[in-house]
Amino acid sequence: MDIWYYLMTPFTWLLKTFYTLFGNSYGLAIILFALVVKVVTFPLSLKGKRGMIQMNMLNGEMQKLQKRYAKDQQRYQLEVQKLYEKEGVNPMGGCLWSMLPLLILFPVYAVVRRPMKYWLGLSDTVINAVTAAVTGAGITLNRGYPEISMVSHFFQDPSSLTAAQAAAGEAASSLYGINFNFLGIDLAATPELKFWVGGISWASIGLLLIPILTAVTAFLSSKIMMKTNQINQKEGEDNPAAKQSKMMLWMSPLMMLYFSFVMPAAMGLYIIANSVFSVAQEIICGKMLKKDYEQAAEAARLREIEEKEEEKRLRREKAEQRAREAEEARKNKGKKKEKDPDEDKTTAQQKAASRVGMRQYARGRAYDPDRFGGVTPYHEDLTKAVPEEELPQEEPEKTTVEVPQIPEATAGEGTESTLDADLEQVNAQLDAAIEETPDEEPKED
């Protein structure tokens, strides 16, 4: 036998004990087995619920840390971890304990699926020999669950057990049939959607009801669990336990519905019993943790009041800030804004170079005369810039003609003869001067 056989031994022993005590009823054995599992795990579940309440009471502190370290997620995670250590809270404790019934489901499934190995204690060699003998006798087995089909058939038809014991050899004394009949339903059969095939009877209808009851009871159990776990949890709060509960509210019923259609009806009966006992467990835990829930609800109420007061304070501060800004704007209206001495970073050399005449910053404050290696002096060659025709012509020198002075007449002398002689002399001088003056060339337009 492998290690799994010894791990399944406690579950097998408990199931066989109940089967023997209650008149070889596999259905009652399954129900009592689920009850014992709930009783054993009850303290762990209670501890997990108390941890969830503590987590909910820390939501106020966590929200403050989130606002304080909104831009530093690494620091936020570190502070949250310190808060958990200080309060002695395990953030995943509630989720782990709520997943414990699902973990127990797997060993129960193994015991139900392979009764010849775990219940009867037969080796794989003996099981293969018995299977060959049964199929050779023309008995039809469930392909997915041949062992549960054989032991159920051995109980219903003891004559087939004789041939199987002959094939088992030395292990023949350990081979017997198991009664899977419960309330007229064969728990060794697998439910089918087409329940009318083979005729409609209570056996076929009851077999279909098992998956339906499995989904309904799983949903009710998850719903009540979510309500009790989040009795003081506000909608929209970032809480891993709340998100887990909402996800399990829909995932758990769908998973159980699927399992009930692919597994023997005995597993569906176990899931129904487990869900019913879970509801009872939630009610008992709610009464035992009533004070804790009330304390958590009061803390949530105070936290909500504090959040509202904080919101009012922030609004009041914003309104006061806007009023101050409006008052300052009203006072500063029409006043010239004082120049910031640090705003003008222009050097004295740049200021001097940027001035042109009386215009202080004609070239701009950022003007730098040495930016491109200095300023090259500008010299303009007028002879190249102006055509020769447009150059100014030199004016000819003007000749001054001296006009001789006419001597004044002397009284008492012959005035007329003297005047005539003087006029002739002046005319002669004028003619001589005109002949000596050069002719000017006429200017072209």
Side-chain angles (χ1 to χ4, degrees):
M1 296 294 179
D2 55 12
I3 189 174
W4 290 107
Y5 175 81
Y6 299 101
L7 291 176
M8 301 301 171
T9 299
F11 300 95
T12 306
W13 176 85
L14 186 62
L15 194 61
K16 290 173 65 175
T17 301
F18 288 136
Y19 178 80
T20 304
L21 289 177
F22 291 91
N24 296 337
S25 176
Y26 198 89
L28 286 176
I30 285 288
I31 294 173
L32 293 174
F33 179 86
L35 178 61
V36 170
V37 169
K38 278 299 176 185
V39 171
V40 172
T41 59
F42 179 79
L44 301 178
S45 300
L46 187 65
K47 181 179 179 180
K49 291 184 180 300
R50 187 174 282 111
M52 285 186 178
I53 295 174
Q54 293 175 351
M55 280 288 299
N56 292 337
M57 295 179 66
L58 293 179
N59 283 341
E61 297 295 330
M62 293 177 63
Q63 288 178 1
K64 292 179 181 179
L65 293 175
Q66 189 174 11
K67 292 179 181 179
R68 186 181 304 172
Y69 304 107
K71 297 182 180 180
D72 190 354
Q73 289 297 319
Q74 186 175 2
R75 179 66 183 278
Y76 168 72
Q77 297 294 338
L78 181 61
E79 294 296 330
V80 169
Q81 188 64 29
K82 290 181 180 178
L83 180 63
Y84 288 156
E85 293 177 357
K86 178 181 177 181
E87 300 294 335
V89 177
N90 183 7
M92 298 302 295
C95 297
L96 291 177
W97 299 129
S98 63
M99 296 294 291
L100 187 60
L102 185 62
L103 297 177
I104 297 177
L105 186 65
F106 294 102
V108 175
Y109 170 69
V111 174
V112 173
R113 178 175 176 266
R114 301 199 64 183
M116 296 180 70
K117 178 178 181 180
Y118 298 112
W119 185 300
L120 303 180
L122 302 177
S123 64
D124 292 337
T125 304
V126 175
I127 293 173
N128 293 333
V130 172
T131 303
V134 170
T135 54
I139 300 175
T140 304
L141 302 177
N142 189 331
R143 292 187 300 176
Y145 305 95
E147 293 186 22
I148 194 172
S149 297
M150 283 188 288
V151 293
S152 177
H153 190 77
F154 294 157
F155 182 83
Q156 297 175 5
D157 185 10
S159 60
S160 61
L161 179 61
T162 305
Q165 289 177 340
E170 297 180 357
S173 59
S174 301
L175 184 61
Y176 57 89
I178 300 175
N179 181 20
F180 284 92
N181 187 19
F182 180 70
L183 299 179
I185 303 172
D186 186 9
L187 299 180
T190 303
E192 297 284 346
L193 284 174
K194 299 179 180 180
F195 65 95
W196 58 86
V197 177
I200 298 177
S201 61
W202 164 245
S204 60
I205 295 174
L207 198 63
L208 179 65
L209 288 177
I210 288 181
I212 297 174
L213 292 176
T214 299
V216 172
T217 54
F219 177 80
L220 291 176
S221 176
S222 300
K223 186 69 175 179
I224 294 175
M225 184 182 297
M226 187 183 70
K227 289 293 184 181
T228 54
N229 290 343
Q230 299 180 357
I231 191 171
N232 60 327
Q233 180 74 23
K234 288 200 311 180
E235 190 70 22
E237 286 186 349
D238 186 13
N239 191 326
K243 292 182 178 180
Q244 185 74 16
S245 298
K246 289 180 179 180
M247 182 181 67
M248 291 301 296
L249 176 63
W250 299 103
M251 291 297 297
S252 179
L254 293 176
M255 289 172 57
M256 297 308 167
L257 181 64
Y258 172 76
F259 289 157
S260 299
F261 273 108
V262 298
M263 296 188 300
M267 283 303 303
L269 180 62
Y270 171 80
I271 295 172
I272 294 172
N274 181 74
S275 300
V276 172
F277 294 142
S278 296
V279 172
Q281 177 181 274
E282 292 298 322
I283 295 174
I284 296 173
C285 288
K287 291 183 178 181
M288 295 181 65
L289 299 175
K290 183 179 180 180
K291 294 182 178 180
D292 295 329
Y293 281 124
E294 291 176 353
Q295 184 180 359
E298 180 65 17
R301 188 183 67 82
L302 295 176
R303 184 173 69 247
E304 186 175 359
I305 295 174
E306 184 181 352
E307 290 175 357
K308 289 182 179 179
E309 293 295 331
E310 181 69 15
E311 186 177 357
K312 290 180 181 178
R313 185 183 65 81
L314 292 176
R315 289 180 180 177
R316 185 170 56 253
E317 290 181 355
K318 290 181 180 179
E320 293 175 355
Q321 180 67 21
R322 287 195 297 268
R324 286 195 298 268
E325 292 176 356
E327 183 66 19
E328 292 179 359
R330 186 182 64 80
K331 290 181 180 180
N332 297 331
K333 187 176 181 181
K335 292 184 179 181
K336 186 176 180 181
K337 186 179 179 181
E338 296 182 0
K339 185 177 180 181
D340 188 0
D342 297 333
E343 183 179 357
D344 189 4
K345 298 182 180 180
T346 310
T347 62
Q349 182 182 3
Q350 290 177 339
K351 288 182 179 180
S354 64
R355 292 187 175 95
V356 178
M358 297 299 293
R359 300 168 63 193
Q360 288 195 356
Y361 295 106
R363 293 194 178 110
R365 299 191 182 196
Y367 175 75
D368 188 358
D370 297 327
R371 179 176 295 176
F372 301 105
V375 179
T376 304
Y378 176 74
H379 300 285
E380 185 177 6
D381 191 354
L382 297 176
T383 58
K384 295 181 180 180
V386 183
E388 294 182 357
E389 297 83 9
E390 299 180 4
L391 290 176
Q393 301 292 334
E394 295 182 359
E395 296 182 358
E397 297 180 359
K398 296 182 179 180
T399 304
T400 304
V401 181
E402 296 181 0
V403 180
Q405 301 292 329
I406 302 174
E408 298 180 356
T410 305
E413 293 181 359
T415 304
E416 295 180 359
S417 60
T418 305
L419 290 173
D420 292 339
D422 292 337
L423 288 172
E424 290 179 358
Q425 185 180 357
V426 170
N427 290 332
Q429 291 177 357
L430 288 174
D431 292 338
I434 291 170
E435 290 179 356
E436 292 177 359
T437 301
D439 297 335
E440 294 182 359
E441 294 181 358
K443 295 183 180 179
E444 297 180 359
D445 294 332

